[in-house]
Each structure stands twice: as C-alpha cells, then as structure tokens.
Amino acid sequence: MAAKNAFYAQSGGVTAVINASAAGVIETARQQKGKIGKIYAGRNGIIGALTEDLIDTGKDSIAAIRALRHTPSGAFGSCRYKLKSLEQNRREYERLIEVFKAHNIGYFFYNGGGDSADTCLKVSQLADTLGYPIQAIHVPKTVDNDLPITDCCPGFGSVAKYIAVSTLEASFDVASMSKTSTKVFVLEVMGRHAGWIAAAGGMASSKDCEIPVVILFPEIAFDRSKFLAKVDGYVKKFGYCSVVVSEGVKGEDGNFLSDQGVRDAFGHAQLGGVAPVVANIVREGLGLKYHWGVADYLQRAARHIASKTDVEQAYAMGKAAVEFAIKGHNSVMPTIERLSSKPYRWKVGMAQLSKVANVEKMMPKNFISKDGFGITDKCREYLAPLIKGEDYPPYKDGLPNYVRLKNVAVAKKLSDFTI
C-alpha cells in the first residue's frame, strides 16, 4: 500500500518565523521514506484544500526549503477562513474528503493560531463524522501569544524583540529632541484582546538604562486622568516619555479607545488606529508635542531582527508535528514547555486540540504593575529568554536574501468548488 501523502498549510496573520515551522514540517516529512509520500502545501491555507489548489513542495530543492528558515511571511500564502460546523456547512467537509481521497492525503498539518486550531480540530474529527481516516496536527503560530497550554507561541518572541528594540531606539530619538521639540512618542502595536506584545515594550527599560515607558494594555480599562498624570510625571522627571499602546485598549465603557470620533483641525474624522487617539489625548490634556507610529505589518515581518529562541522553537514545532503524526497521534498540537527561566530550558510537549481550540490566554495579572502602566519583574523573567539571541538571515547587496519558492501547482483531478 502506497504511503499516504501529507498536506501542510499556513493560516491567519503570518510571522517572521512561520516559514521556519514550514521548513521543520517539510524537511522532517522528507525523511520519512515509506511512511509519508509526497508533501503538498495548500495555496492560501485551507482554501487551497477546498479548491484543490495544491502545491508540490517536492519541486523545490533542499536548499530552497532550508532557506525558508530565514525567510519571513507565508511562503505558500495564508488566509483567514474558519470552517463552520459540520451541521452548518457539510459540503465543505465532504469536499475536503473528496480532495484528500483524490490525492491520497492522510496527514494534515495546519500552522496557525486559535481559529486555525479550531479548523484543525474539525478536520481531525473527519474519521468519526464522515468516516475518512486522517491525522490532523496543529502547528502553533501567533504573534499574539494567546494560545493556551504552550508556554509561548512561535512568532511572538520575534515580534516582542522588534517592539522592545523599536521602543528603545525611538525613546533615544525622543530624548534627543525633547528639549525643544517632541516630548511624547506613541507606538501602536498588535494585540486586540491580550497585551503580550505591548508588554514587550517594557523591556526597553532596564536597571542599566532606565527609559520612561507607559504601557496601555487591553486587560486594563483606560483611565484618562491616571494616564495623563503618569505621562506628565515622566516628562517632568525625564524630559520625555514613550507610550506603547495595544490596538485593543478599551475605555471604562467597554468600547475600543479608537472609536472616540477624534476630529482634526478642519473638523474631519481622524482616521487610523488607537495611536492617534492616544496622541490627541496627550495634546489636549498636557499640551505636549508628540509623534505617533503604528508598527502594523513591520512588527510581524521583521525577520532581520528575529529572536534566535523563536526561530529554533518555530522549527521544532514543525518537526514535532510530523513526529507526532508518524507515531499515530491525531488531534494534538506540539507545545513549548518551560523547564526553567534562569538558565532558560524548554522541551517539546503535547496538548489535545480540544483543550486548545477557541481558548484565549490572557496576560496574568501579576505580569502587570500595580499602577497598570508597566510590567513586573515576573513578566520580565518570562519575556527575557524569548527575545534573546540573534539569527540573522544571509545578506546580499545590503538586503536580506530571502527565498521565493517555485510553488508548482499539482494537477487537478476534480471539478471546481466555490467557497
């Protein structure tokens, strides 16, 4: 009997290291001669499976797949698409089985965050629901760091490093100009519900180099008067202040802070995220000159400054996923288990997808300072090893030398399908 083929796909927002997980999956699967046949990738995530838009990763060289380890974003394309329940959309599940049967796919590796874990869980249940045997393993990934059970999520360490470094460097800039110009810099970071990324901004300040940083967490309701008092105190003490604000910060009324209907000098609606809202609060409340910025895609695509720990863990999760499948596991996710922080030691663990899907891990209360504007020593101890180490990509002519795969399409065997 021919060895079953494998299907791998990327889902949700991409990261600086998701391709390292892809390399881990593909390189490890290539070593399983006689157990795993061909390794297909879905073009644009689960959509590639539904539309039979498969990529033959075997058409790319050993060197090209190896280069994924140092290349950011999603090499095969990603998507934001969550499968509904079998009862709500049976046709999609029947289509998946149709595609899997047509291409002899028996292994399903889905690389993503919370919604992806839910999709992977549903695929893993195809044997029970529709009688098709498949082993579905979720490969963890999310810059939001909000998957449960695992100590951290691949992708987070690198974005945390980027935000910590950016906050540090921008603070040096503002300090230089504060006497006669800008006194407050506001940096907006990702994190709609959990403040893990914003917390990383606090790492810019240390005992050796104290930086006045105010952090606004989604977990803490925004208090205008307390915020202004904190900023004012820092400016009076240091001459300047940096503010790191999570995109999901809410007011005491429960509404997102960015929904305040700010108007510019001409009475027009001030478009944008939460950074300009916070900057405007500083201007109106304290009369200070400010600048603001939005890290946006830059924070999650910055492979040039990726955390070495993050790269290693991302690859390890992809490798472990294949090893779990070969051992017969189904409906599980490899995890990162922290053994100690000083020195930092970790190992690969395993979690049941039923305990991962649709569960969100928030910042622990003891990670946030009592005043709600900073991080505690416990948080620093958690974050420090995740941002340590450098894993620079190779450079060519002054720029990172990233890889573009051939992404050769697999010949279709079925009729078209509309999602």
Side-chain angles (χ1 to χ4, degrees), residues 98-112:
E98 187 181 21
V99 173
F100 291 163
K101 280 183 177 178
H103 296 277
N104 192 34
I105 293 170
Y107 302 100
F108 180 88
F109 303 104
Y110 209 36
N111 202 171

Side-chain angles (χ1 to χ4, degrees), residues 19 63-64 66-72 303-304 391-405:
N19 283 336
R66 185 188 303 122
L68 286 177
R69 187 176 173 124
H70 66 249
T71 299
R303 181 58 185 82
H304 67 286
D391 191 299
Y392 298 120
Y395 276 71
K396 181 180 180 181
D397 298 330
L399 293 173
N401 190 17
Y402 297 142
V403 68
R404 281 282 193 186
L405 300 183

Side-chain angles (χ1 to χ4, degrees), residues 38-351:
K38 294 184 177 182
I39 304 133
Y40 299 134
R43 198 185 306 275
N44 301 318
I46 192 69
I47 292 175
L50 290 168
T51 60
E52 200 190 2
D53 194 356
L54 308 181
I55 294 167
D56 185 354
T57 67
K59 299 298 184 181
D60 279 287
S61 67
I62 292 174
I65 297 302
R66 185 188 303 122
L68 286 177
R69 187 176 173 124
H70 66 249
T71 299
S73 74
F76 306 106
S78 186
C79 71
R80 295 191 186 278
Y81 192 83
K82 187 174 181 178
L83 291 178
K84 296 179 180 179
S85 67
L86 179 63
E87 294 73 25
Q88 291 176 299
N89 202 338
R90 187 182 182 90
R91 66 185 286 270
E92 287 190 340
Y93 292 89
E94 291 176 340
R95 173 63 175 186
L96 286 177
I97 290 177
E98 187 181 21
V99 173
F100 291 163
K101 280 183 177 178
H103 296 277
N104 192 34
I105 293 170
Y107 302 100
F108 180 88
F109 303 104
Y110 209 36
N111 202 171
D115 285 346
S116 310
D118 179 74
T119 294
C120 195
L121 174 63
K122 289 168 179 170
V123 171
S124 75
Q125 297 167 339
L126 287 178
D128 294 329
T129 56
L130 295 174
Y132 184 80
I134 189 152
Q135 288 170 255
I137 314 293
H138 185 244
V139 185
K141 173 279 319 175
T142 174
V143 297
D144 293 325
N145 200 40
D146 57 1
L147 287 175
I149 304 177
T150 185
D151 177 71
C152 60
C153 302
F156 170 67
S158 293
V159 76
K161 188 182 185 80
Y162 177 89
I163 294 304
V165 170
S166 296
T167 303
L168 176 63
E169 293 178 338
S171 296
F172 268 62
D173 189 304
V174 178
S176 301
M177 304 301 298
S178 61
K179 183 66 176 178
T180 59
S181 185
T182 305
K183 293 187 182 297
V184 178
F185 176 70
V186 181
L187 176 64
E188 178 180 330
V189 303
M190 290 179 174
R192 183 167 288 266
H193 301 296
W196 294 103
I197 298 176
M203 297 298 285
S205 182
S206 65
K207 292 180 180 179
D208 297 330
C209 182
E210 188 176 3
I211 299 291
V213 179
V214 175
I215 305 172
L216 299 181
F217 300 95
E219 292 87 347
I220 305 294
F222 180 76
D223 185 308
R224 181 188 177 101
S225 61
K226 289 183 179 179
F227 167 70
L228 288 174
K230 188 70 175 181
V231 172
D232 188 46
Y234 271 156
V235 171
K236 286 177 178 175
K237 179 180 179 180
F238 294 91
Y240 72 101
C241 174
S242 290
V243 179
V244 180
V245 54
S246 183
E247 63 184 352
V249 168
K250 295 180 179 180
E252 294 177 321
D253 58 1
N255 294 321
F256 287 113
L257 206 61
S258 54
D259 291 341
Q260 290 188 349
V262 177
R263 295 290 186 270
D264 62 18
F266 299 97
H268 301 138
Q270 175 70 60
L271 302 179
V274 70
V277 172
V278 171
N280 191 63
I281 289 172
V282 169
R283 181 184 66 81
E284 289 183 343
L286 300 175
L288 299 175
K289 184 173 181 180
Y290 63 82
H291 272 266
W292 59 268
V294 181
D296 203 47
Y297 281 14
L298 300 177
Q299 63 199 298
R300 73 184 196 195
R303 181 58 185 82
H304 67 286
I305 197 173
S307 152
K308 184 177 182 180
T309 298
D310 196 27
V311 175
E312 291 174 348
Q313 291 178 339
Y315 185 92
M317 293 298 98
K319 180 175 183 287
V322 176
E323 294 172 342
F324 286 174
I326 293 300
K327 291 177 181 178
H329 293 292
N330 182 37
S331 194
V332 297
M333 179 186 82
T335 62
I336 297 162
E337 290 187 14
R338 185 180 299 222
L339 301 177
S340 66
S341 295
K342 297 179 181 180
Y344 181 57
R345 295 187 301 120
W346 63 280
K347 69 174 184 178
V348 174
M350 181 190 297

